[in-house]
Amino acid sequence: MSRPRKYPKELLDRGARVVIESNRPIAHVARDLGVPSETLRKYVRQLEADEGLRPDLPTAAEREEIKELRKEVYELRRANEILKAASVFFATELDQDRPK
């Protein structure tokens, strides 16, 4: 669950549109809107990525997919470690039961 936004989405949308359409510096637009320039900069970059203006950055959908894939990889690695530990345990159990 994500944390609540400190600044309304509409405000950030408007600021991003002004930056993209007018080519004004992000710091100036952020100051006019009363938001931190770093907040607006991140929002502008993500908006540009989502609209295909920045092919070097992942879109929001791609970022979500990457997040889900990392979670899946973590769970699979964890399950693999459990299976390895179980196979070692059962192998030692079988060796103890084998007559010498």
Side-chain angles (χ1 to χ4, degrees):
M1 180 178 216
S2 62
R3 65 175 199 227
R5 291 184 173 267
K6 186 172 182 180
Y7 301 100
K9 184 179 182 321
E10 296 80 20
L11 180 67
L12 295 174
D13 279 336
R14 186 174 61 179
R17 290 287 160 221
V18 169
V19 168
I20 293 170
E21 292 171 2
S22 70
N23 288 329
R24 285 184 60 203
I26 292 174
H28 294 165
V29 175
R31 189 177 345 105
D32 292 345
L33 294 175
V35 299
S37 60
E38 187 64 15
T39 300
L40 186 58
R41 184 191 67 77
K42 287 180 181 179
Y43 194 83
V44 168
R45 286 184 60 160
Q46 190 58 53
L47 186 65
E48 288 173 340
D50 291 345
E51 292 179 355
L53 301 173
R54 296 284 304 262
D56 58 320
L57 297 175
T59 64
E62 291 170 336
R63 290 169 67 122
E64 187 62 33
E65 182 181 9
I66 290 169
K67 181 179 171 183
E68 291 297 320
L69 290 172
R70 284 182 177 161
K71 182 178 177 184
E72 184 179 349
V73 166
Y74 172 78
E75 291 170 357
L76 290 172
R77 284 184 177 161
R78 187 168 169 242
N80 197 15
E81 289 299 319
I82 291 170
L83 290 173
K84 282 181 185 177
S87 67
V88 168
F89 173 77
F90 288 119
T92 57
E93 288 290 313
L94 288 174
D95 284 344
Q96 290 175 358
D97 291 343
R98 188 177 304 172
K100 297 181 182 178

